[in-house]
Amino acid sequence: MGEQLHKRRLGRTEIMVTEIGIGGLGIISKKLPNREAGVQTVRHALDLGVNWIDTARGYFDAENVIGDAIQGRDRQSFTLVSKSYLRTGSLAYRDLETSLASLKVDYVDMYQVHHVQYQSELEQVLAPKGALDALETARKEGLVRHIGITSHHTRVLARALDTGRFDTVMFPFSPIERDGLNEVYDAAKRNDVGIIAMKVLAAGKLTSVEEAIQFVLAHDISTCALGCTTTEHVDRDVAAAIAFHSLTPEQVDRLRKAEMKIEDKFCRRCRICELRCPMQIPIADVFRCEDYLVLNATYARNEYRALDKHVPDCIGCGECEIACPYGLSVNDDMQRAHRRLTAGKFEDVSVNTLRKIGIYDIARKAYFALGGRLPER
Ligand code: SF4
Ligand code: SF4
């Protein structure tokens, strides 16, 4: 047998998790020919020793796909994680019951409060009869073993972790999106909270996959959830994680400091622009929703609809562009994102047709050369 995936301690949960896990969004990609292909991706990951499976109520059919994939497997051999967007106790508890039924299990190893964006949302979660109260009750009942929190807004996370009520924390962390770790790290270590990285490949924009995974593993985190779609993605990602351990200390140190380049400008979700926006447009979230288009357009559009404010609320003052340290044409890019996120089916059909006839990459490069941007894959 070849070399095995290494494991790390997931903070105070004391679970030993493999350094990479399966994130539940990839297996519902419209690029897969059918549902069974998603089941095979998860099974393949388990066969290769991946012991962390992450999903969410919000990922359409993903819980059911995973539920099918784990049938007949030793329940103790992997850590099963899901999450809910709902903030009140009764609704979050109901979501948990639906998760258990969809996954076809009696308990999940972890349930996470999903995507807490603002302080006001965190207050709802922490309030009496809020989502956290309900999950703590569920933990006493044996339905949940541990409780986590996830966000793309890392500033709210340190406060959440210092309540001492969360066992894990998940947020975007990659060679081009690294501020999150600085913001959360001390609070996580203070509270012995397990750190889970997501968006390691920056929603497919980082094409040096091995380097991106190894960059993340060079830091003091527990695991990373990778949105594998196919069994080939699983093979590639497992090989990258295993190969990390053959690097010299000098190579690891170089990786830790590496800043990878991407071919076009990319929103790093630093949210500096949002501090200057008089209309409180959730700019980074607009781009986050646009990134989802490549995987699942319906999911992307639902996420966009759920935002508090939308691009048409923008008054065009230009403050965001002045503020953006990465030189993004924020206003133009937001208008493009809005068009794509509200375009209905037309763009999906065009992209799928180009893919089917095998000229998508050529079309994408041509479009990019003319100043546009299409998703990588
Ligand atoms: S241009 Fe629009 S998004 Fe940018 S700061 Fe002004 S109102 Fe906000
Ligand atoms: S648009 Fe620029 S300033 Fe705003 S979140 Fe993205 S990278 Fe940061």
Side-chain angles (χ1 to χ4, degrees):
M1 189 187 261
E3 204 181 333
Q4 310 266 313
L5 275 167
H6 290 242
K7 292 180 183 167
R8 297 186 185 187
R9 177 178 171 270
L10 185 66
R12 66 198 197 195
T13 72
E14 300 295 350
I15 300 172
M16 294 302 290
V17 287
T18 46
E19 291 178 328
I20 62 167
I22 287 279
L25 252 183
I27 55 161
I28 54 157
S29 167
K30 294 216 165 142
K31 283 177 266 172
L32 283 171
N34 52 42
R35 189 176 179 283
E36 184 54 26
V39 172
Q40 289 312 324
T41 299
V42 178
R43 287 195 179 142
H44 188 61
L46 291 172
D47 289 342
L48 293 188
V50 173
N51 78 353
W52 171 268
I53 309 174
D54 175 274
T55 184
R57 281 301 309 126
Y59 297 168
F60 294 106
D61 200 26
E63 287 183 331
N64 275 302
V65 171
I66 289 167
D68 289 353
I70 61 177
Q71 289 307 298
R73 301 277 173 161
D74 173 8
R75 182 67 189 82
Q76 310 298 318
S77 66
F78 55 87
T79 301
L80 189 57
V81 182
S82 194
K83 43 194 171 311
S84 166
Y85 281 129
L86 299 177
R87 307 302 186 219
T88 64
S90 54
L91 292 177
Y93 192 91
R94 204 180 309 158
D95 247 4
L96 168 64
E97 290 177 317
T98 310
S99 292
L100 295 174
S102 306
L103 291 161
K104 304 170 232 346
V105 292
D106 300 330
Y107 70 93
V108 281
D109 299 282
M110 187 177 310
Y111 213 66
Q112 300 169 111
V113 184
H114 193 178
H115 191 41
V116 177
Q117 303 187 80
Y118 304 110
Q119 192 61 37
S120 55
E121 253 182 281
L122 179 62
E123 297 309 330
Q124 273 183 296
V125 168
L126 299 177
K129 298 195 178 161
L132 192 54
D133 265 2
L135 293 182
E136 285 171 345
T137 301
R139 182 165 57 191
K140 283 188 201 129
E141 295 167 344
L143 304 180
V144 169
R145 298 223 159 134
H146 305 282
I147 299 169
I149 183 166
T150 82
S151 182
H152 289 78
H153 292 229
T154 41
R155 277 171 210 149
V156 301
L157 287 175
R159 150 103 176 90
L161 301 191
D162 277 335
T163 65
R165 295 171 74 186
F166 294 100
D167 303 312
T168 64
V169 62
M170 183 190 224
F171 54 86
F173 179 51
S174 78
I176 57 167
E177 194 174 355
R178 50 176 77 195
D179 294 349
L181 191 61
N182 299 334
E183 283 175 3
V184 180
Y185 188 84
D186 289 346
K189 291 296 157 192
R190 243 189 333 268
N191 294 284
D192 196 12
V193 162
I195 298 177
I196 305 153
M198 63 171 168
K199 303 278 158 58
V200 171
L201 307 182
K205 291 189 177 60
L206 288 172
T207 46
S208 309
V209 173
E210 180 175 269
E211 212 179 327
I213 292 172
Q214 294 180 347
F215 166 87
V216 170
L217 294 183
H219 291 77
D220 185 12
I221 58 147
S222 297
T223 186
C224 50
L226 298 169
C228 300
T229 296
T230 63
T231 55
E232 289 78 18
H233 290 162
V234 174
D235 288 336
R236 177 197 67 189
D237 297 353
V238 167
I242 289 174
F244 171 72
H245 292 276
S246 61
L247 299 179
T248 63
E250 291 74 27
Q251 285 172 312
V252 171
D253 193 47
R254 260 204 305 279
L255 258 181
R256 199 140 31 89
K257 293 173 186 150
E259 173 98 37
M260 287 170 69
K261 298 209 177 344
I262 48 175
E263 66 175 5
D264 51 2
K265 290 179 176 168
F266 170 67
C267 172
R268 268 87 162 167
R269 284 183 270 270
C270 66
R271 297 183 191 275
I272 291 170
C273 55
E274 294 179 6
L275 299 174
R276 298 271 289 267
C277 176
M279 303 305 290
Q280 285 90 46
I281 311 279
I283 298 167
D285 285 317
V286 173
F287 296 133
R288 175 178 61 83
C289 295
E290 187 184 26
D291 286 342
Y292 290 137
L293 281 169
V294 65
L295 270 180
N296 190 306
T298 313
Y299 180 75
R301 291 183 177 123
N302 286 349
E303 286 284 298
Y304 184 55
R305 268 196 294 276
L307 298 180
D308 286 345
K309 298 248 179 119
H310 298 91
V311 176
D313 296 313
C314 163
I315 56 169
C317 68
E319 286 292 324
C320 48
E321 288 194 13
I322 297 167
C324 178
Y326 300 102
L328 264 70
S329 307
V330 183
N331 211 344
D332 285 353
D333 289 355
M334 274 199 315
Q335 299 299 335
R336 179 208 59 230
H338 176 74
R339 277 195 303 278
R340 295 185 65 208
L341 286 161
T342 52
K345 297 274 176 226
F346 176 73
E347 184 171 8
D348 299 340
V349 171
S350 324
V351 167
N352 287 339
T353 307
L354 290 172
R355 277 193 184 118
K356 242 181 223 153
I357 60 177
I359 61 164
Y360 180 74
D361 281 343
I362 298 167
R364 180 177 176 274
K365 279 190 185 122
Y367 183 62
F368 178 64
L370 296 170
R373 191 176 78 157
L374 280 176
E376 195 98 47
R377 296 189 288 184

